[in-house]
Amino acid sequence: MIMVRHAWFSMTLLSDAVISESSASAGAHGALPYIPGAVILGAASRLYAGFDEATQQQVFHAGSVRFSDALPLGHDNGPTLPLPFSLHYPKGKSATEGVINLACGSWDDALGQRKQVRDGHVDQAGQMTEPALRLHQKTAVDMDRQRAEDAQLFAYESLAVGQVFLFSLSADQDVEGATWSRLTGHFADTTIRIGRSRSAEFGCARVAAVAQPPSWPCAIGSGPGIVLWLASDLALVDCHGQPKLVADGADFGFPHATIDWSRSFVRHRSYTPYNGYRRALDMERQVLSRGSVLTLRADTVDASALTRLAESGAGLYRECGLGRIIVNADFLAKQRPALRAVAVPSRAGEEVSGVAPAAWLDILAKRSARLTQRRLAESEGERQGRAIAQLYDQAARLAGGDVGPGPSQWSALRAAADGMPDVPRLHPHLFDDEHGICRANDGDWGRFVALTGAETTFSLWLAARFSEAENDAPLVMSQIARQAEAFVRQRRSQ
């Protein structure tokens, strides 16, 4: 008997989420119409350090625990699936006017040229659902010049705020109950950040546990035919470990079965996922696309093997949601399944319950105030930095040569100011007589200069600017150091 535990969760987007279909950094960023299981696995990775090595391997790498893709909530408040590629309709018409399922039916040439259904999701009632998407145009900012960088305009396509998705966790019977409880408890009621630019305005989502929704009706073990509907991408390899795009019965646990290609409809894609922990790209994956339909023929069908396939899936990367398969779905046993018009989720783009507009406005106001403060502080630092040339000219006259702190010393000052925003800690770190970076008794920082008629040193001048800046001292020091480093480097290269 196959024992697999399941737990279901809803994910409500509290802000737009950028889930790109490609990890490329150039070109347009189209959004996926769902949230991959790898994203959900990543949200669970904060539990990683709390497990021993064997449990880490079991939960996050071996496929014993599977984090499914989060798919749009159906019109019936149940799970949806990607529309199967076996559905076709006459070109020039709509799928809602009638489709033919070529996995069990035949096309009537009198209907004219056929067109394959390729996009969207469908619930058990036949209601098609397509997530709402938004386009955002952005530009990189040159912080030194406080303006948009040249040729750095880019666009993000995102899933709109307010939409609800469903996903599940499933685990084999060898996963300990304590481990399972920690995983499900982690997602029981929490807020997570997902997708690109999640440290900025995108990717906030609320996750909550929900009751297990009704399963898609399936006829496990009936008849010699096996119809497999890919609910997620499927990654297969051959006996040499190379990617495999032409499946056979053995890939699904039926070595004596053959694939009826006249009743099968498969598409492929390749992509290279980005690993946020390693900050690098993983290996390229070549997969059979979600929505593909494979029809197998066999003299006898092992019902337990079918159940195992439906529960545990097939192929690689199952821990990331790949390899999920619906076996002998009743929906694909119909020659003419009825589809209803696409329903854009009604809550898409709307305010999410429990998130007060005043709270969002307060957050935005504080963020705007911080940005304004930063710009003013950096502007003041830039203004003070213009005095650097005068300091070096005066010091050179007094010493009879080019003297004063070098580029590496200004760089150390900038690094300290950037890494230590706490003013009480930064001051002694810079000006302490024994260990300060800019201490007054240092041969370079203590060099005498005459600025506007009064004798001073580089150290004393900087300390005066530090006091004037008050709470903005770290930003002002950083900007002064940035300009001084560039000035001295250029001066001494001539």
Side-chain angles (χ1 to χ4, degrees):
M1 183 177 180
I2 300 172
M3 296 290 293
V4 177
R5 286 169 287 191
H6 298 276
W8 284 83
F9 303 87
S10 66
M11 182 186 297
T12 304
L13 299 183
L14 303 181
S15 64
D16 284 13
V18 180
I19 310 294
S20 298
E21 60 186 358
S22 169
S23 58
S25 57
H29 287 271
L32 290 172
Y34 64 99
I35 299 169
V39 172
I40 301 166
L41 183 148
S45 63
R46 64 178 58 188
L47 300 176
Y48 195 91
F51 294 126
D52 58 54
E53 186 174 346
T55 306
Q56 291 172 351
Q57 181 69 23
Q58 182 186 51
V59 172
F60 295 99
H61 305 290
S64 296
V65 177
R66 295 169 288 280
F67 300 80
S68 79
D69 296 339
L71 302 177
L73 183 70
H75 184 71
D76 58 357
N77 290 325
T80 60
L81 290 174
L83 279 161
F85 295 153
S86 60
L87 302 185
H88 292 71
Y89 61 95
K91 189 172 183 179
K93 294 187 177 182
S94 169
T96 57
E97 298 180 56
V99 295
I100 295 178
N101 175 25
L102 298 185
C104 62
S106 300
W107 183 259
D108 185 353
D109 292 336
L111 296 175
Q113 187 176 355
R114 69 189 188 192
K115 184 175 182 180
Q116 187 181 56
V117 175
R118 294 183 180 176
D119 300 313
H121 298 79
V122 63
D123 61 22
Q124 297 182 36
Q127 176 76 55
M128 293 189 293
T129 300
E130 188 71 25
L133 304 176
R134 287 176 170 173
L135 184 66
H136 308 263
Q137 286 193 324
K138 303 285 183 179
T139 183
V141 176
D142 186 333
M143 299 304 295
D144 291 335
R145 297 186 294 168
Q146 291 296 304
R147 52 161 288 180
E149 288 192 13
D150 296 333
Q152 293 296 316
L153 181 68
F154 62 96
Y156 280 149
E157 191 175 46
S158 68
L159 296 167
V161 61
Q163 298 182 89
V164 182
F165 297 79
L166 287 180
F167 70 93
S168 68
L169 267 61
S170 58
D172 294 338
Q173 59 183 346
D174 58 342
V175 176
E176 293 183 358
T179 301
W180 177 249
S181 297
R182 287 191 64 186
L183 287 170
T184 55
H186 178 69
F187 288 113
D189 186 12
T190 187
T191 299
I192 60 175
R193 309 288 304 200
I194 60 175
R196 289 179 182 256
S197 294
R198 56 184 174 273
S199 60
E201 74 263 39
F202 295 114
C204 186
R206 184 169 59 224
V207 178
V210 297
Q212 181 167 343
S215 300
W216 280 72
C218 297
I220 298 291
S222 62
I226 308 170
V227 180
L228 307 180
W229 179 5
L230 302 192
S232 63
D233 291 338
L234 175 63
L236 300 174
V237 291
D238 61 18
C239 59
H240 304 291
Q242 297 300 310
K244 177 180 180 180
L245 297 178
V246 180
D248 56 42
D251 294 318
F252 306 102
F254 309 106
H256 302 295
T258 58
I259 293 184
D260 183 353
W261 291 109
S262 67
R263 298 289 187 184
S264 299
F265 301 87
V266 179
R267 296 182 64 82
H268 312 96
R269 76 182 186 107
S270 63
Y271 65 98
T272 306
Y274 180 80
N275 188 298
Y277 178 78
R278 291 196 293 268
R279 298 186 182 276
L281 296 174
D282 278 343
M283 291 178 57
E284 182 185 64
R285 296 178 183 176
Q286 299 182 34
V287 298
L288 280 66
S289 297
R290 56 198 293 272
S292 295
V293 175
L294 291 157
T295 301
L296 279 65
R297 301 295 179 191
D299 295 333
T300 59
V301 176
D302 184 351
S304 63
L306 287 175
T307 303
R308 186 182 305 110
L309 179 62
E311 291 282 4
S312 301
L316 304 180
Y317 313 116
R318 278 181 271 178
E319 68 278 1
C320 297
L322 275 69
R324 183 174 167 229
I325 299 174
I326 307 300
V327 179
N328 287 342
D330 289 356
F331 184 84
L332 290 182
K334 304 172 184 176
Q335 293 190 23
R336 292 178 177 267
L339 297 179
R340 290 186 289 162
V342 171
V344 176
S346 58
R347 298 178 65 191
E350 297 179 1
E351 173 195 336
V352 179
S353 175
V355 182
W360 283 111
L361 291 175
D362 184 55
I363 292 171
L364 292 174
K366 290 180 179 178
R367 180 177 294 179
S368 177
R370 287 197 300 269
L371 290 174
T372 301
Q373 180 188 21
R374 182 181 183 88
R375 292 192 186 100
L376 290 175
E378 291 178 343
S379 178
E380 175 63 15
E382 184 177 354
R383 186 181 69 82
Q384 295 290 355
R386 298 192 187 101
I388 294 295
Q390 299 178 46
L391 286 173
Y392 276 91
D393 289 343
Q394 293 285 354
R397 289 194 188 98
L398 289 174
D402 194 7
V403 294
S408 62
Q409 292 169 291
W410 287 109
S411 177
L413 168 60
R414 177 168 57 85
D418 289 342
M420 196 175 296
D422 185 12
V423 173
R425 290 179 56 206
L426 179 61
H427 188 277
H429 189 71
L430 297 182
F431 302 110
D432 180 77
D433 289 337
E434 292 187 12
H435 305 292
I437 294 175
C438 312
R439 55 187 180 274
N441 56 9
D442 180 84
D444 292 317
W445 292 107
R447 178 69 62 177
F448 276 101
V449 297
L451 189 63
T452 63
E455 278 196 355
T456 187
T457 65
F458 285 91
S459 178
L460 291 174
W461 181 83
L462 270 177
R465 306 290 80 76
F466 191 102
S467 299
E468 292 171 358
E470 298 180 343
N471 292 333
D472 294 331
L475 292 173
V476 172
M477 291 294 103
S478 176
Q479 194 65 23
I480 290 175
R482 189 185 305 274
Q483 294 196 57
E485 180 185 354
F487 168 79
V488 177
R489 198 178 298 278
Q490 181 181 12
R491 179 188 181 101
R492 295 185 178 177
S493 66
Q494 295 175 350

